[in-house]
């Protein structure tokens, strides 16, 4: 029987979930898109609640990070960009923006299910809405960062090249990867709260193994395989190619990124739904 909110009770949850159930589950998620939009709006309203600067932090945070890192790595350590004529500040911000989105989205999504205990125990709805709504919140932050990026590109005399039309497709691929990675982490964090701490450590290490602060060309040949296995390395290099260098990301690399992202999403979604029946008992 449905409750007052029109949602079926938790007891109606299926005990088994197979790969064949993924498309029906995605269709159910699409049907609940209004709920997803509502939860995203809730996240946005609560993100800077009781904050003096409010949404201004979405501008202050990336700009301050760019300024200090530019000073240290460009002025003190003299790290090159590997792209002739492109200032380090612009090179850096082009890498920071997608990385900050990824790191913030994964961190926020990891705690999304455990942070909504009241909803999880009282009513049934597709639980994946919780981490996906947390990720969509960071898309809004990313949009603000993109405005800053375009302003910087104009300021430094490097307006976006026409190949920047690739950016929406590249971001969609990165978004699919981010969701696929976040879903099982959100589920596991409900059972083992240490997961959120492990994610923080992993993201810190991952940051330095991603060419955000330095060009990929600076990586010694014997360590290139580490970066070939890193999807974020592929995404950031692709963003820089299409926006700063005016060249396509390469069909082979786009297909590789798409394959990694779709595989991550399918496995991550499957694991999330397999763990979902135990959520109410673990809160």
């Amino acid at each position: 029987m449905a409750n007052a909110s029109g949602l079926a009770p938790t007891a109606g949850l299926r005990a088994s979930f197979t790969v064949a159930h993924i498309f029906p589950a995605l269709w159910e998620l699409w049907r609940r898109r209004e709920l997803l939009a509502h939860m995203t709006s809730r996240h946005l309203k609560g993100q800077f609640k009781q904050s003096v600067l409010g949404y201004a932090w979405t501008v202050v945070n990336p700009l301050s990070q760019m300024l200090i890192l530019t000073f240290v790595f460009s002025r003190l350590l003299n790290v090159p960009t590997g792209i002739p004529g492109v200032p380090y500040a612009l090179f850096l911000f082009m890498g920071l923006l997608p990385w900050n989105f990824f790191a913030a989205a994964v961190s926020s999504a990891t705690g999304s299910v455990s942070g909504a205990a009241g909803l999880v125990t009282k009513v049934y709805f597709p639980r994946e809405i919780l981490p996906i709504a947390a990720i969509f919140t960071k898309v809004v932050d990313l949009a603000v960062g993109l405005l800053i990026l375009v302003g910087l590109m104009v300021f430094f005399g490097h307006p976006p090249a026409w190949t920047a039309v690739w950016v929406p497709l590249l971001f969609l691929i990165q978004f699919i990867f981010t969701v696929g990675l976040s879903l099982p982490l959100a589920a596991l964090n409900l059972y083992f709260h240490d997961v959120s701490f492990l994610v923080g450590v992993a993201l810190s290490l991952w940051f330095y193994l991603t060419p955000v602060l330095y060009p990929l060309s600076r990586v010694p040949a014997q360590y290139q395989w580490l970066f070939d296995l890193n999807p974020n390395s592929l995404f950031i290099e692709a963003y820089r190619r299409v926006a700063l260098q005016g060249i396509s990301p390469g069909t082979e690399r786009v297909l590789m990124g798409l394959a990694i992202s779709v595989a991550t999403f399918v496995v991550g979604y499957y694991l999330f739904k397999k763990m979902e029946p135990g959520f109410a008992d673990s809160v």
Side-chain angles (χ1 to χ4, degrees):
M1 180 183 294
N3 58 24
S5 64
L7 299 174
T10 307
L13 214 58
R14 285 173 299 185
S16 63
F17 187 86
T18 67
V19 174
H21 291 128
I22 288 180
F23 284 109
L26 289 176
W27 173 246
E28 175 66 13
L29 179 62
W30 172 252
R31 288 182 59 244
R32 302 298 183 99
R33 60 189 180 278
E34 291 184 4
L35 179 59
L36 175 60
H38 172 71
M39 289 192 172
T40 302
S41 177
R42 266 186 61 190
H43 273 288
L44 285 171
K45 291 176 181 177
Q47 189 171 12
F48 299 109
K49 190 176 181 180
Q50 297 180 327
S51 169
V52 175
L53 292 181
Y55 287 100
W57 285 112
T58 60
V59 176
V60 173
N61 282 337
L63 280 180
S64 58
Q65 192 178 18
M66 182 198 70
L67 289 173
I68 189 64
L69 290 175
T70 296
F71 174 72
V72 172
F73 286 90
S74 177
R75 299 298 181 183
L76 300 185
L77 299 180
N78 199 29
V79 175
T81 66
I83 306 175
V86 173
Y88 184 81
L90 189 54
F91 168 87
L92 172 65
F93 202 75
M94 185 66 71
L96 271 180
L97 207 55
W99 170 262
N100 284 348
F101 159 74
F102 170 78
V106 171
S107 296
S108 181
T110 298
S112 61
V113 177
S114 58
L119 286 173
V120 170
T121 55
K122 292 177 182 177
V123 295
Y124 171 71
F125 59 95
R127 303 297 196 259
E128 57 269 33
I129 284 179
L130 294 169
I132 294 175
I135 294 171
F136 267 121
T137 303
K138 302 309 173 185
V139 174
V140 176
D141 295 346
L142 176 66
V144 175
L146 282 174
L147 294 177
I148 300 172
L149 175 62
V150 172
L152 287 174
M153 295 181 79
V154 172
F155 175 78
F156 286 115
H158 288 274
W162 71 269
T163 47
V165 297
W166 280 94
V167 168
L169 176 60
L170 294 174
F171 175 71
L172 176 61
I173 295 173
Q174 185 186 13
F175 182 85
I176 293 171
F177 174 74
T178 304
V179 172
L181 184 64
S182 299
L183 286 172
L185 292 175
L188 284 170
N189 189 55
L190 189 62
Y191 295 101
F192 311 102
H193 294 305
D194 288 343
V195 170
S196 60
F197 300 106
L198 289 172
V199 166
V201 172
L203 288 173
S204 297
L205 297 175
W206 200 339
F207 173 73
Y208 291 104
L209 289 174
T210 301
V212 176
L213 304 172
Y214 49 86
L216 195 56
S217 58
R218 297 274 293 183
V219 178
Q222 64 265 37
Y223 302 121
Q224 282 286 342
W225 64 271
L226 279 172
F227 295 82
D228 292 337
L229 295 175
N230 181 358
N232 281 304
S233 175
L234 186 153
F235 299 141
I236 289 174
E237 283 296 301
Y239 286 129
R240 284 174 174 153
R241 284 168 65 95
V242 301
L244 295 179
Q245 297 177 266
I247 55 180
S248 75
T251 304
E252 182 180 340
R253 296 183 69 80
V254 170
L255 292 177
M256 183 188 305
L258 181 61
I260 292 172
S261 297
V262 170
T264 302
F265 178 81
V266 170
V267 173
Y269 198 80
Y270 171 77
L271 293 174
F272 182 89
K273 299 301 283 186
K274 288 290 284 187
M275 289 184 275
E276 186 182 35
F279 285 1
D281 297 330
S282 300
V283 172

